[in-house]
């Protein structure tokens, strides 16, 4: 069994209850109904990750939904189990959408680029025996935004020889929402998906149009 530093408030296990829409700074260019559905599906996506429900998580991966690729599902679940057993956990505590692009048509799917305020943790439990967590800044920022991640260590818990180590992510983070043109179900791709073997999941034109729209219409975007 793995003990946990329960006395550290930010590591008490807070998990996302609902992806929210910013009341003060929302810039949305899709209908409110569509955005509500996207926020609901994104909540389920984060919750499945938090709770280690890999079958449910696969329901929100476009590669599986688009291709029905059972080999991809099997290998993905095996990889997720492998890293969980080794002591790595991703946990999203909160997400607030501040920007949503129009839905761009990309073949048989629609693509919406989202930007959100994200509170997320990449945690390394005491039994983790892989590469040094404090050397993973580049990898963490590739997934969650440059300058958003701070490495921390919790106080040593009774019975542990190593502390709970973690990256705390707090700041703006992009994510791609993808849906078949005949479906109201949305799947999600990380901002760097085209660097990790999933470039075929979206055409270049839709990606460029969405990024261009965000630069022009999202006040938080880098100009």
């Amino acid at each position: 069994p793995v003990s946990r530093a329960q006395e550290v408030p930010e590591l008490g296990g807070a998990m996302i209850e609902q992806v929210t829409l910013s009341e003060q700074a929302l810039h949305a260019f899709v209908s409110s109904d569509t955005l509500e559905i996207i926020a609901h599906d994104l909540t389920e996506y984060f919750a499945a990750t938090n709770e280690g429900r890999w079958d449910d998580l696969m329901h929100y991966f476009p590669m599986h939904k688009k291709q029905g690729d059972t080999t991809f599902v099997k290998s993905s679940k095996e990889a997720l189990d492998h890293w969980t057993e080794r002591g790595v956990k991703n946990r999203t505590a909160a997400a607030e959408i501040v920007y949503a692009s129009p839905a761009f048509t990309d073949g048989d799917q629609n693509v919406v680029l989202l930007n959100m305020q994200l509170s997320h943790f990449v945690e390394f439990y005491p039994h983790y025996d892989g590469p040094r967590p404090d050397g993973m800044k580049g990898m963490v920022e590739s997934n969650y935004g440059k300058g958003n991640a701070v490495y921390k260590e919790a106080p040593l818990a009774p019975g542990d020889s190593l502390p709970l180590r973690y990256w705390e992510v707090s700041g703006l983070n992009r994510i791609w929402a993808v849906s078949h043109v005949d479906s109201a179900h949305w799947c999600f791709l990380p901002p760097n998906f085209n660097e990790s073997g999933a470039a075929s999941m979206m055409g270049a034109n839709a990606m460029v149009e969405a990024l261009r729209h965000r630069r022009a219409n999202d006040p938080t975007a880098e100009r």
Side-chain angles (χ1 to χ4, degrees):
V2 178
S3 61
R4 187 166 186 152
Q6 297 288 353
E7 70 275 15
V8 182
E10 63 267 30
L11 295 177
M15 298 196 185
I16 193 166
E17 295 182 2
Q18 182 178 356
V19 173
T20 58
L21 308 179
S22 175
E23 295 183 0
Q24 305 297 326
L26 179 63
H27 290 74
F29 299 86
V30 290
S31 71
S32 57
D33 288 347
T34 297
L35 191 54
E36 290 285 353
I37 294 170
I38 291 174
H40 172 272
D41 288 348
L42 188 55
T43 301
E44 295 300 312
Y45 167 82
F46 284 139
T49 303
N50 286 349
E51 297 164 16
R53 293 185 281 107
W54 307 141
D55 285 325
D56 292 338
L57 181 62
M58 291 300 105
H59 192 51
Y60 296 95
F61 270 87
M63 187 176 291
H64 167 41
K65 298 298 290 182
K66 189 174 184 179
Q67 299 176 351
D69 190 341
T70 56
T71 301
F72 167 78
V73 172
K74 183 175 184 293
S75 62
S76 296
K77 288 164 59 178
E78 287 174 350
L80 290 163
D81 278 333
H82 170 78
W83 286 108
T84 301
E85 290 167 2
R86 287 189 68 182
V88 183
K89 180 176 180 180
N90 279 279
R91 176 169 58 86
T92 299
E96 179 186 71
I97 295 173
V98 298
Y99 164 82
S101 76
F104 293 98
T105 302
D106 178 42
D108 63 354
Q109 64 186 11
N110 291 318
V111 173
V112 173
L113 177 58
L114 304 174
N115 195 26
M116 56 190 169
Q117 287 282 354
L118 184 70
S119 174
H120 182 86
F121 299 87
V122 184
E123 300 169 345
F124 301 83
Y125 284 77
H127 67 290
Y128 170 73
D129 61 356
R132 287 174 58 94
D134 57 357
M136 297 183 180
K137 185 178 181 68
M139 181 196 72
V140 175
E141 289 191 339
S142 175
N143 286 318
Y144 301 107
K146 189 174 181 179
N148 286 347
V150 178
Y151 179 74
K152 298 182 179 181
E153 294 187 359
L156 195 66
D160 285 338
S161 58
L162 289 170
L164 181 66
R165 296 159 289 174
Y166 62 103
W167 285 92
E168 181 175 358
V169 177
S170 181
L172 292 166
N173 183 234
R174 291 183 289 116
I175 196 167
W176 297 90
V178 180
S179 177
H180 190 276
V181 292
D182 295 326
S183 172
H185 175 78
W186 292 86
C187 299
F188 302 97
L189 289 167
N192 61 346
F193 75 91
N194 55 329
E195 302 170 5
S196 56
S200 62
M201 290 298 97
M202 188 188 307
N205 288 342
M207 184 187 302
V208 170
E209 287 184 42
L211 290 170
R212 186 176 294 152
H213 185 277
R214 182 185 168 227
R215 282 195 299 271
N217 297 279
D218 179 2
T220 70
E222 294 181 3
R223 298 300 201 277

